[in-house]
């Protein structure tokens, strides 16, 4: 598998999914490249581009909720913190993702 071409394909697919939900790729280009590469590695190993910052439990119901982009499964949480867990995606209005808090669902009142 060509890593660069697969990263490009994941980027194209992800943009189509996250844009209508009000998200975009983080402006940190180095982070985007790193995380997309990690997704390609996970996809090569497991057959699916899982979120690179969440542990696989090998429980289908859980693991399918961390397939990237996982925004639809965790929308209230991500809307509250204006980013996804790993920071690959941020709300469209975010210009400086480094200022965003990393809060658990419990900390934002979702659990």
């Amino acid at each position: 598998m060509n890593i660069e071409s697969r990263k490009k394909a994941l980027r194209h697919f992800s943009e189509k999914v996250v844009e209508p939900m009000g998200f975009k790729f983080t402006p940190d280009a180095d982070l985007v490249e790193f995380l997309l590469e990690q997704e390609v590695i996970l996809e090569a190993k497991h057959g699916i581009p899982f979120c690179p910052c969440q542990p696989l439990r090998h429980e289908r119901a859980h693991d399918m909720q961390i397939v990237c982009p996982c925004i639809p499964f965790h929308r209230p949480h991500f809307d509250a913190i204006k980013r996804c867990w790993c920071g690959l995606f941020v709300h469209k209005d975010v210009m400086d993702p480094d200022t965003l808090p990393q809060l658990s669902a419990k900390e934002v009142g979702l659990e």
Side-chain angles (χ1 to χ4, degrees):
M1 170 189 326
N2 180 306
I3 291 177
E4 290 305 314
S5 65
R6 188 59 190 140
K7 282 172 31 181
K8 184 177 179 181
L10 286 173
R11 178 187 286 271
H12 177 75
F13 168 78
S14 295
E15 282 176 334
K16 301 291 185 201
V17 172
V18 304
E19 171 102 9
M21 292 185 284
F23 284 80
K24 65 180 180 181
F25 277 98
T26 182
D28 183 339
D30 290 336
L31 182 60
V32 170
E33 290 303 309
F34 173 76
L35 292 171
L36 287 175
E37 186 168 322
Q38 298 311 302
E39 285 185 25
V40 170
I41 292 167
L42 288 166
E43 183 179 42
K45 184 175 181 179
H46 301 287
I48 298 173
F50 290 107
C51 175
C53 74
Q54 295 298 304
L56 290 172
R57 293 186 188 165
H58 302 287
E59 298 169 4
R60 183 169 174 76
H62 170 269
D63 292 347
M64 294 312 291
Q65 292 185 12
I66 60 169
V67 173
C68 188
C70 61
I71 295 167
F73 295 104
H74 309 284
R75 182 74 186 267
H77 185 191
F78 295 162
D79 279 341
I81 61 175
K82 294 189 160 222
R83 58 178 277 168
C84 66
W85 289 311
C86 65
L88 180 59
F89 304 109
V90 296
H91 269 199
K92 287 182 182 179
D93 64 342
V94 171
M95 296 301 154
D96 184 5
D98 292 336
T99 64
L100 298 175
Q102 183 72 359
L103 302 170
S104 70
K106 184 176 183 178
E107 290 173 300
V108 295
L110 297 171
E111 285 184 1

